Amino acid sequence: MDLFPLHNSLRIAAISSVIVFFLSIFAAYYIRRLPKLLKGVLDVVLTLPLVLPPTVVGYFLLLVFGLRRPLGVFLDEYGIRFVMTWYGGVLSAAVVSFPLMYRTVRGAFESYDETLSEAGRTLGMSNTKIFWRVMMPYSRSGILAGFVLSFARALGEYGATSMLIGYTPGRTATISTTVYQMWRTNNDEAALFYVLINLAISTVVLLIANLLEKKTRRS
Amino acid sequence: MNVILDVEKSFPSFNFSISYSSDASLTTLLGPSGSGKSVFLRILAGIIRPDRGVVRIGDRVLFDSEKGIDIPPQKRRVGYLFQNYALFPTMNVYKNMTIALSGSSKKEKETLADKYATLLGIKHLLKRMPAMLSGGEKQRVALARLLMMDPDIILLDEPFSALDSALRENLRNEMRTLIEKSGKTAIIVTHDMEEAYYMSSYTYLLENGSVVEHGRNDILYFTPSTRRGASLLGIRNIKEVQDGLIRDWNIDLGHFKHPFVALRSDAFSPSSGEYHVDCRIRRIDEGIEKCHYVLVTEGGSEIYASFDRGVKVGERIFFDEKSLIGLSP
């Protein structure tokens, strides 16, 4: 059985969740201090991909990065093409899974006790040190939960991905697009194979998440 | 060390405008909640930036709006003991104490932590997590942590409010001794008068973001000089004096130069004194040692008086001239 979809899905999910990890922490950190109105607007914009149908997100991505669109043409000149490439899948997975991580991290940062940072500053700790040594460990269960959620979402992403990168065996095929393709072409056995793989990965991911959560709670 | 804080800062709900200067090694800021006590400490520590003014500790200028000086909290050498102690919950006590020491070797950190842990009697707690500590232990860890940074001044924000009352008195003693031993200047914020009186030698009374009155404890607490000050210090009998007359009580004080007069509730006697007021008892609140009376004069004005238990109180109470506290408005 062709294992490329597994390999492709894993790398897309891994890379996209790492990107989402840093982006959403960065966004959550700065947005939480903004004035209420601005915060509200940004919250809506950044959460939209969570509630929009993934095909709509895919449509928007094609609108921006399509090969006949200005930005798509511009990027293409530098050899960067998000349409019909596997790293286009990273883009669509990142956009769709970003809100999950962003909202969980925002929640974690909002319950953070600001006096801890104040104490750190009066003790002479730099803001960077306070962030990495005090604030991040304090919020770690929320951040971990967000990371796992966004990884799982990226792994299962179908709608936006299939619109942006389609299904090309050996090039852009992911587990979810392969399942659909196999089923559509009456290859039930292959479809089931990928379904089982997906089930296995998701179970492992959730188990790890639970273990990590228990560990944080114990300490 | 001389501490000067002469600043203004407007907030959406109130204006903070304070002129403070104290040489006392232990000064208290006393005031009800919302009076700006914590804002004072936060401005001094550099956490809140005032709109204008000057902040100086000794000869170090920490903030000067005109000269554009604003030293960040990291460099102010101000030790801040937060009300909730602000221990980092994900680190054990040892790590809490040493995390801020940068540039020291492991050995140096251990030596320093050991010294302060011994001084504060927390050596047996070094491996514990903050969640496993009692309130008093947390406080000692937080104090050790800030003393290790060798600050020029220590700020204590309601240091005893999170502790139960039996512990409080012991710790008050201990804390005062510790601060005196460390030789550091300290400013203590509290809303508890007893605590304020005991913990310091000089007090600033604050209300609504401004200074009502300030003075040495042995004077301020016994003879405040303003009406607001007396009221903040818990004196409930404050009366207007016109031409030497307390009209409400029908008493002629003769030559009395202040527009207001205050009388503590324990200034009254049931049997003898230079002046007397006729009144009847409206309510008695029985306390453990004293009974607190609310009395009403013929004119309908209330008098708050407390007498020892078992003392018989009739329809006339007395007080002496020496217990009169003259107040300005």
Side-chain angles (χ1 to χ4, degrees), chain B residues 150-165:
Chain B
D150 191 28
D152 289 341
I153 180 173
I154 305 173
L155 310 180
L156 308 159
D157 193 353
E158 302 269 7
F160 309 106
S161 65
L163 308 171
D164 51 63
S165 62

Side-chain angles (χ1 to χ4, degrees), chain A residues 20-21 24-25 97-105 143 146-147 150:
Chain A
V20 163
F21 177 83
S24 58
I25 286 174
S97 62
F98 175 84
L100 281 170
M101 175 86 187
Y102 167 72
R103 296 216 63 113
T104 342
V105 176
I143 289 168
F147 184 75
S150 71

Side-chain angles (χ1 to χ4, degrees), chain A residues 134-165:
Chain A
V134 180
M135 192 169 177
M136 286 291 277
Y138 185 98
S139 319
R140 100 189 123 186
S141 53
I143 289 168
L144 230 54
F147 184 75
V148 170
L149 278 175
S150 71
F151 180 84
R153 181 70 188 84
L155 196 67
E157 169 39 34
Y158 175 81
T161 305
S162 74
M163 283 187 70
L164 191 65
I165 69 172

Side-chain angles (χ1 to χ4, degrees), chain A residues 80-93:
Chain A
I80 302 166
R81 194 185 273 203
F82 287 110
V83 181
M84 301 304 281
T85 58
W86 73 268
Y87 49 85
V90 173
L91 175 70
S92 59

Side-chain angles (χ1 to χ4, degrees), chain B residues 18-242:
Chain B
I18 274 180
S19 182
Y20 169 101
S21 167
S22 176
D23 290 309
S25 59
L26 282 162
T27 309
T28 300
L29 306 178
L30 177 67
S33 50
S35 58
K37 309 181 299 275
S38 291
V39 173
F40 183 107
L41 296 191
R42 283 180 146 72
I43 287 176
L44 193 48
I47 297 166
I48 295 179
R49 190 178 191 282
D51 297 336
R52 59 197 149 265
V54 180
V55 179
R56 218 164 63 201
I57 296 179
D59 39 13
R60 292 176 61 222
V61 179
L62 301 182
F63 181 84
D64 189 329
S65 53
E66 274 183 16
K67 290 184 186 149
I69 301 173
D70 186 9
I71 309 283
Q74 282 91 341
K75 300 211 167 109
R76 290 203 172 194
R77 302 176 58 85
V78 169
Y80 198 133
L81 186 76
F82 287 82
Q83 194 171 357
N84 61 2
Y85 313 126
L87 296 179
F88 306 133
T90 53
M91 300 171 201
N92 67 17
V93 169
Y94 175 77
K95 197 79 203 156
N96 256 287
M97 288 168 69
T98 52
I99 180 96
L101 298 168
S102 50
S104 334
S105 70
K106 198 172 167 233
K107 189 97 191 117
E108 285 168 332
K109 284 184 187 175
E110 277 172 8
T111 317
L112 204 61
D114 188 74
K115 181 183 156 193
Y116 282 95
T118 311
L119 178 73
L120 284 139
I122 52 169
K123 247 182 119 170
H124 60 295
L125 303 175
L126 287 177
K127 288 195 178 129
R128 297 239 190 116
M129 297 302 281
M132 292 156 69
L133 304 178
S134 72
E137 287 169 342
K138 278 184 196 164
Q139 185 181 59
R140 268 183 260 174
V141 172
L143 198 61
R145 181 174 74 171
L146 71 86
L147 285 175
M148 276 174 70
M149 303 314 292
D150 191 28
D152 289 341
I153 180 173
I154 305 173
L155 310 180
L156 308 159
D157 193 353
E158 302 269 7
F160 309 106
S161 65
L163 308 171
D164 51 63
S165 62
L167 197 61
R168 210 178 290 179
E169 276 175 37
N170 278 335
L171 278 177
R172 239 165 27 191
N173 251 320
E174 207 174 90
M175 176 81 88
R176 191 177 170 150
T177 318
L178 258 168
I179 294 169
E180 281 168 348
K181 242 199 307 194
S182 74
K184 308 235 178 254
T185 302
I187 299 179
I188 298 151
V189 150
T190 180
H191 61 267
D192 181 328
M193 255 200 306
E194 277 289 323
E195 199 169 293
Y197 183 74
Y198 181 79
M199 287 295 295
S200 62
S201 54
Y202 201 92
T203 295
Y204 268 76
L205 281 178
L206 265 53
E207 191 182 44
N208 293 330
S210 48
V211 177
V212 173
E213 206 175 318
H214 58 97
R216 273 168 46 191
N217 285 4
D218 54 351
I219 299 169
L220 181 72
Y221 289 87
F222 302 100
T223 49
S225 59
T226 64
R227 202 177 152 193
R228 287 302 313 145
S231 161
L232 284 173
L233 289 170
I235 303 178
R236 297 185 67 186
N237 300 302
I238 298 172
K239 290 282 146 197
E240 202 177 348
V241 183
Q242 281 177 328

